[in-house]
Structure formats: structure tokens, C-alpha cells
Amino acid sequence: MSQNPEAARLARARLPEGLRPETLAVRTALAPSQHGENSEGLFLSTSFVQPDAQTSARRFAEMEDFTYGRTSNPTVRSLEARLAGMEGAEAAVATATGMSAILLLGMGLLKAGDHVVCSRSVFGSTISLFGKEFAKFGVTTSFVSQTDLAEWRAAITPSTRLLFAETPTNPLTDVCDIAALADIAHEAGALLTVDNTFCSPALQRPLALGADLVMHAGTKYLDGQGRVMAGALCGERKLIVDVFGPTLRTAGMTLSPFNAWVVLKGLETLALRMKAQSEATLAVARWLEQHPAVARVYYPGLASHPQHELAMRQQSGMGGAVVSFDVRADGPDAARAAAFRVIDETRVLSIATNLGDTKSIITHPATTSHGRLSEAQRQAAGIGQGMVRLAVGLEHVDDITDDLQRGLGPLA
Ligand SMILES: *Cc1c(COP(=O)(O)O)cnc(C)c1O
């Protein structure tokens, strides 16, 4: 923070205590430069000039202030401070992608012989990172049911160091009980990390429910406009600064300042976007639920969702912006043809495999995100050939349902 009182006053760098998350999302940042810029500066510089050799020596020894771009950058630091404020965390560390945040989590926390318990419904690359990559270094992972707490409890061993969950899941939107998982982790002397990508802090704050760490793919809703890759871990200072800080500085999964700046600005509109996109998704989900060509809708905001009440409690009464549905068809071949027809008839929605964009995205999970699973594994996971996933953006709801109706109408 700047010691310059004029700069501090210009940017309101000394914010009062107790500000709400919406305010922190707009106001939290490092003090501005001497120019008093109102929008946070983008510092594209790999190195930072030191006033003298003595100061340089101290900064390198104590890792304070700014020295070299792999270790810290003012724009990245502003993003970390803002995201930490929004998650109710003491600190945050930003990373190059969502996956590199999980890489940092594993490298910083785990060693050979350690054991992890992870939901089997988490993001596909997360399964590979724990199940394959960390396994090379002697870290074992048990994959368990998203919703059956007894399975989590039964998987705990004396070596369990970490529980990892993501809620709601993709594409089935299964919700897990964060507070209950935190209790299971803490009884075992382990830490609970929650991947909060789908809800973002605008809807869900896992730390307040007892989780120890929050992980983000900033690539999704935090940027929110489909522009840059980013990731983060949020939690107690002693974990973020003392455990993950040194690992990040050595291993270099550092976030680029440009990407940090884009996400920093994205956070300013996060709460508005999440609310608007959640409301639109609920409207689309209700429309799908009454459609004769649709067999089933998966959305936590619907009363028909198996964990609806838990989701509403945990997610500020909102369902988020991802909805999936099964088209009605007999057998996998007909189901795939029907799902492809719905996707191919759209003229507004983007056919892509991403989410968290202002542009709505339509996806066929069975041949994209879950395409590498065997048909038996997919059946076990409940992801059929007739499933379509929709990540709802900011277009008018009626234009989204009209676009779906082009393909669904003839199937009814
Ligand atoms: C996209 C995503 C990730 C990975 O993030 P990247 O930025 O693509 O590395 C992790 N978890 C969830 C839930 C995601 O949607």
C-alpha cells in the first residue's frame, strides 16, 4: 500500500470496515499511482526498479513489494485483494488458469504418501490432475459420490490431507453440502477445498460455510465475458501467503498482468451478471420443464431438483447460469440425433464448450467434455446421448427459448 496520504485519499484506498461484497468488488485494489487513476492501472512490466541495493536486498529477502513479475505484480495484487474481499478470505493468490490453481494446491499442500478424497463429478481435467498427474508423485485420490456423505466419510484414511468438491457439478448440477463436508474434513484433520467456479462469490461463499480454501477458474464468471484464462486460490493468510506463495514463486504458474486486469474489471459487474444470468436461466429451465420434447431438466433453481432446498440455502437463493436437459427419444442413437438437431438448429447460441460468458453457449456433453469416457462410464455418470447443456448469457430470455424451439419444436 502507498504511504502517500494524497494518493490514498484520491483512490479511497483506506476503505471503512464492514463494506458489503458488492462494494468491495468495485473498490478493493492497491493504492493508485501518483496520477490518481480512477480505473486501476495495468502494469505490464517484468521487473521493478529498486531505489537502492539495500532496499533491493530487503525486498528479495522478505518478498515484499515488487521485484520480478513471476513473484508479484501490482495489477495481479489488486485482483487478489479484490477477490479475497469478495470471498470473505484473508488472502488470495492468482494463477494462470483454473487448472494451475489446482496444480498449485497440490504442489503446495501434498507430498508423496498423502491421500485426497474428491467428488467423482468434478471438472474432467480435475479428475485427471488428481487421478493421473498427482498419482505420478505418490499422491493417491479416492473418487466418491457428489451427494452421499457416507461415501466421503468411508473414504477417509489416516493419510487423508485434502477433500476436494465442486458444486453444482457440470453438467448434472448435483449440489453437495459444503458445511457437512467441512465437518468431515476437519474431524479427519484434513482441509476442504471447494471449486467455486459455477456460483462465484456473488452466489456462494464456501469459507463462510466452513471450507478452508476456495478455488476458481477465473476464466468463467469472474472475467464473465469469455476473454482471458485465469485462476485463484482463496483462504487464510498462513496458507495463501506462507504455503502457496513460495510454491507459486518457484514453479511459476503466475497470472499475466493483462489477464489479471481484465478479470479485475470483470469482478466489478459480477454480482449484476450472476443475478441476471441466474434469473434468465430459471426462466429457460421452467420453459424447458413444460416442453413436450424434453424428458428431464437439471437445474438447482427448480423445485424438482433433488437438492433444491440445500442449493437455495447455499447459493443465495439462486440456481446459477448452467442448465442441462435430456431430449425425449428412444435409445442412444435417436437421442444423439435429437440432441444434435436441437444444437444445430440454433442461430443465436454459440456451439462451444465453455461457460461463464455473456454469450449463451450450447454443448453436447457426451461428445465433448465427457467424450473420452466409455459409454458405460457415461451411463454410470448419468450423462446420456440426449443431454444438452446450456450456459445462459445475457441475451433476452425469449430469444434463447425461441432459438431452442427451432430444434425442439419439430421433436415434440
Ligand atoms: C473451466 C473449469 C476449470 C478449469 O479452468 P481453466 O481456466 O480452464 O483451467 C476448473 N473447474 C471448473 C468447474 C471449470 O468450469
Side-chain angles (χ1 to χ4, degrees):
M1 287 284 163
S2 167
Q3 300 303 307
N4 178 346
E6 190 189 342
R9 211 184 78 80
L10 279 173
R12 316 258 169 199
R14 281 172 202 277
L15 295 169
E17 295 288 311
L19 294 176
R20 283 96 186 148
E22 291 82 354
T23 309
L24 297 177
V26 176
R27 289 289 175 180
T28 308
L30 298 195
S33 75
Q34 69 273 27
H35 307 303
E37 63 277 3
N38 195 35
S39 176
E40 294 75 20
L42 166 53
F43 292 91
L44 288 179
S45 185
T46 48
S47 57
F48 295 86
V49 178
Q50 308 301 311
D52 52 62
Q54 180 107 40
T55 310
S56 172
R58 196 187 67 239
R59 286 181 181 170
F60 267 87
E62 296 172 3
M63 277 301 154
E64 59 165 57
D65 292 318
F66 302 104
T67 54
Y68 180 62
R70 172 155 37 75
T71 62
S72 61
N73 172 284
T75 310
V76 176
R77 195 70 72 74
S78 281
L79 170 63
E80 292 168 340
R82 184 170 290 183
L83 183 61
M86 294 168 73
E87 284 287 0
E90 285 178 5
V93 57
T95 56
T97 62
M99 290 319 301
S100 63
I102 308 178
L103 176 64
L104 176 60
L105 173 74
M107 283 186 73
L109 210 59
L110 305 172
K111 60 182 189 316
D114 284 346
H115 175 250
V116 178
V117 183
C118 181
S119 162
R120 90 169 58 88
S121 310
V122 296
F123 190 68
S125 299
T126 307
I127 303 237
S128 303
L129 187 54
F130 279 112
K132 282 204 201 116
E133 305 300 334
F134 288 157
K136 290 181 198 161
F137 300 95
V139 171
T140 53
T141 301
S142 303
F143 293 98
V144 298
S145 154
Q146 170 79 355
T147 51
D148 184 352
L149 294 173
E151 269 196 45
W152 288 80
R153 231 176 256 116
I156 302 273
T157 76
S159 316
T160 304
R161 193 83 177 87
L162 175 70
L163 273 62
F164 190 96
E166 173 189 322
T167 183
T169 58
N170 172 33
L172 291 167
T173 74
D174 285 334
V175 174
C176 68
D177 187 333
I178 295 173
L181 289 182
D183 286 346
I184 294 173
H186 299 156
E187 274 164 34
L191 300 179
L192 172 65
T193 299
V194 174
D195 180 338
N196 201 25
T197 300
F198 267 56
C199 279
S200 89
L203 303 193
Q204 176 169 277
R205 293 199 196 91
L207 300 177
L209 297 166
D212 302 282
L213 288 159
V214 167
M215 172 257 146
H216 272 289
T219 314
K220 312 292 169 55
Y221 295 101
L222 303 188
D223 167 12
Q225 288 145 85
R227 300 165 296 193
V228 299
M229 309 292 298
L233 293 174
C234 312
E236 281 182 19
R237 198 176 304 282
K238 70 179 194 314
L239 281 173
I240 299 297
V241 175
D242 300 342
V243 176
F244 299 120
T247 306
L248 176 109
R249 291 195 289 271
T250 303
M253 51 289 262
T254 313
L255 179 61
S256 98
F258 178 78
N259 291 5
W261 181 79
V262 171
V263 177
L264 183 71
K265 304 311 288 179
L267 288 180
E268 296 182 5
T269 55
L270 177 71
L272 287 178
R273 286 186 280 106
M274 289 308 292
K275 185 164 183 289
Q277 288 173 245
S278 287
E279 283 169 6
T281 310
L282 179 59
V284 172
R286 286 186 173 142
W287 180 86
L288 286 166
E289 204 168 39
Q290 55 72 48
H291 200 289
V294 172
R296 184 168 170 192
V297 182
Y298 306 82
Y299 184 62
L302 290 175
S304 58
H305 189 282
Q307 294 103 30
H308 174 65
E309 277 169 33
L310 170 64
M312 292 302 95
R313 245 187 296 131
Q314 226 167 235
Q315 302 175 194
S316 312
M318 283 181 268
V322 175
V323 57
S324 298
F325 59 96
D326 292 325
V327 290
R328 217 177 268 292
D330 289 327
D333 291 341
R336 182 194 285 210
F340 275 21
R341 175 166 194 172
V342 172
I343 292 168
D344 289 340
E345 288 293 318
T346 58
R347 285 159 53 196
V348 179
L349 306 180
S350 306
I351 305 173
T353 307
N354 190 23
L355 58 113
D357 201 323
T358 49
K359 294 178 170 63
S360 294
I361 291 175
I362 191 164
T363 311
H364 188 244
T367 53
T368 58
S369 57
H370 295 73
R372 271 170 295 176
L373 302 181
S374 69
E375 190 57 35
Q377 284 173 315
R378 258 196 306 275
Q379 297 274 339
I383 297 158
Q385 293 291 339
M387 176 172 280
V388 175
R389 192 200 74 185
L390 203 63
V392 174
L394 286 175
E395 303 93 342
H396 195 286
V397 177
D398 295 348
D399 288 330
I400 296 172
T401 52
D402 284 354
D403 217 31
L404 293 170
Q405 177 65 9
R406 288 183 231 284
L408 280 173
L411 296 174

